[in-house]
Amino acid sequence: MIVDLRSDTVTKPTPGMMEAMMNAKVGDDVFGEDPTINELEQKAAAIFGKEAGLFCPSGTMTNQIGIKCFTQPLDELIADQTAHVYRYEGGGIAFNSSVSARLLNGERGIITAEMIEPEINAVNDHYPRTSLVVLENTSNRGGGSCYTLENIKPIAALCKAKGLKLHLDGARIFNALTKTGDKASDYGQYFDGISICLSKGLGAPVGSVLLSSKETIKYARRVRKVFGGGMRQAGFLAAAGIYALDHHVERLKIDHTHAQILAEALRNCPAVSNVLPVETNLILFDTVEPATVVLEKLAAHGIRALSTHPHRIRFVLHLDVHPDMVEHVVGVLKSFK
Ligand SMILES: *Cc1c(COP(=O)(O)O)cnc(C)c1O
């Protein structure tokens, strides 16, 4: 048995999703004529209480377009030091937008209005102009930690008072909503831009959607074209996204339950020195032996995972990890001395 816990991006389309893709009505989206993409964009925008959406090939692109829309060259954005937009998007903040980043030491990736406020630059020729705050929910490097809307409200109020834009990297926003019970439709009012991912926990093969006002999305379409992301009959992919929104959100709670079962097994495993708090579908744990050694032992039992530090391993739950696989991993962990 192979259990792939490396990432929630490794999922494959289900038969139902494949059927939806095969039957999609398509057109040339650069002309705005793909009905399935239009439907996905409108559907996602409605779910989050925003006016419009833009379908893109990746979450990196939706984030980078968002940053481009909400900044000018010589500006600065504020984010947690673990932020995907800073660490894992290849330096795109500087390259695509000519913007610098002020990084905060949040608590497992979560930052507060109190942390942000002193880092907003005064208006002075010495300083880059602070124009954007980026939040990540759930936080990837934070091990799937969540913001609640109660955490977000004071940040949104601060941004409004100071004239800053607020962007959400919501690659795993549905995991956060599953955990917190907050309503997606309440999110739109607090964020200028929201990036949601269809190809992580939701199981679509490709795609993210940027959500914002009609005016911003109009400009974002131009930026997407410049970034090389204008797609043609991509409705086949959008159909997978629509299917995912309809069928794969509710089930995320299963992944979270599986994560709790594995976390418990890890806490009882002598090869593991510490398990970080588990809130959603990600588990970070520290190993007594080097992570590479533990990864090899896991691999010998068909369990695949990644290390994030020399003594830290990440497990990610997703829709291709079934209950019998979770049982298998628990059994293997029990056998470790
Ligand atoms: C995966 C991820 C993204 C986007 O990644 P792509 O691979 O470009 O789709 C953005 N933010 C976070 C937090 C992620 O985990």
Side-chain angles (χ1 to χ4, degrees):
M1 179 186 289
I2 299 291
V3 187
D4 196 340
L5 303 175
R6 289 173 302 164
S7 174
D8 39 9
T9 55
V10 300
T11 57
K12 308 233 170 69
T14 61
M17 182 179 278
M18 286 297 283
E19 197 183 318
M21 293 171 74
M22 295 296 287
N23 294 323
K25 291 194 179 68
V26 299
D28 190 331
D29 182 53
V30 173
F31 294 119
E33 289 174 4
D34 189 302
T36 310
I37 293 181
N38 293 340
E39 183 188 337
L40 170 65
E41 291 175 343
Q42 280 153 25
K43 184 183 178 80
I47 289 172
F48 284 89
K50 298 305 288 182
E51 285 177 357
L54 184 70
F55 183 52
C56 291
S58 72
T60 297
M61 189 180 280
T62 46
N63 281 333
Q64 291 297 319
I65 293 174
I67 292 165
K68 187 79 184 157
C69 288
F70 298 133
T71 60
Q72 294 293 324
L74 306 182
D75 283 357
E76 185 162 85
L77 63 74
I78 295 176
D80 182 74
Q81 51 107 359
T82 62
H84 192 282
V85 292
Y86 177 76
R87 286 216 187 195
Y88 303 112
E89 298 186 7
I93 295 171
F95 185 75
N96 295 318
S97 297
S98 302
V99 162
S100 58
R102 182 81 66 100
L103 303 173
L104 308 184
N105 277 313
E107 177 71 26
R108 294 199 304 127
I110 304 298
I111 58 177
T112 63
E114 290 71 35
M115 293 176 194
I116 295 166
E117 186 159 13
E119 306 300 329
I120 300 171
N121 287 332
V123 178
N124 179 310
D125 284 349
H126 289 87
Y127 305 141
R129 186 183 71 127
T130 310
S131 57
L132 175 66
V133 173
V134 179
L135 305 182
E136 188 175 307
N137 200 16
T138 69
S139 164
N140 183 349
R141 287 286 287 217
S145 49
C146 297
Y147 288 90
T148 63
L149 267 181
E150 287 309 311
N151 304 147
I152 289 166
K153 282 177 192 172
I155 298 174
L158 174 68
C159 289
K160 203 161 194 185
K162 301 284 183 181
L164 312 184
K165 301 289 189 196
L166 185 58
H167 175 78
L168 176 66
D169 177 354
R172 296 190 180 83
I173 184 60
F174 289 102
N175 294 93
L177 294 169
T178 300
K179 166 70 182 176
T180 61
D182 287 332
K183 289 213 327 261
S185 56
D186 288 337
Y187 260 70
Q189 62 191 298
Y190 299 109
F191 290 95
D192 297 285
I194 299 175
S195 161
I196 67 164
C197 183
L198 304 164
S199 69
K200 291 225 164 109
L202 296 194
V206 174
S208 284
V209 189
L210 179 66
L211 309 171
S212 191
S213 65
K214 275 189 187 144
E215 196 190 343
T216 298
I217 292 299
K218 194 167 172 226
Y219 180 63
R221 280 186 77 87
R222 280 188 63 201
V223 176
R224 184 185 66 176
K225 190 72 181 139
V226 174
F227 285 2
M231 297 182 287
R232 304 292 178 173
Q233 288 75 21
F236 294 116
L237 300 173
I242 292 169
Y243 185 91
L245 289 172
D246 287 339
H247 296 94
H248 291 168
V249 174
E250 188 68 19
R251 62 154 306 285
L252 288 173
K253 59 180 187 278
I254 299 170
D255 298 341
H256 296 185
T257 303
H258 286 166
Q260 292 299 337
I261 293 168
L262 290 185
E264 181 62 20
L266 287 163
R267 281 191 285 267
N268 293 324
C269 179
V272 174
S273 59
N274 181 40
V275 183
L276 273 73
V278 176
E279 295 184 32
T280 52
N281 69 322
L282 307 184
I283 308 171
L284 294 176
F285 60 94
D286 298 328
T287 52
V288 178
E289 291 182 290
T292 48
V293 174
V294 179
L295 286 175
E296 259 173 48
K297 289 184 184 173
L298 290 167
H301 297 277
I303 301 163
R304 309 184 72 183
L306 294 176
S307 72
T308 63
H309 284 295
H311 278 267
R312 181 168 286 181
I313 291 175
R314 188 181 80 158
F315 279 178
V316 186
L317 281 301
H318 52 77
L319 89 172
D320 285 349
V321 180
H322 305 139
D324 57 326
M325 298 178 179
V326 174
E327 235 171 82
H328 173 69
V329 178
V330 169
V332 169
L333 290 171
K334 273 193 182 141
S335 76
F336 280 10
K337 303 234 163 38

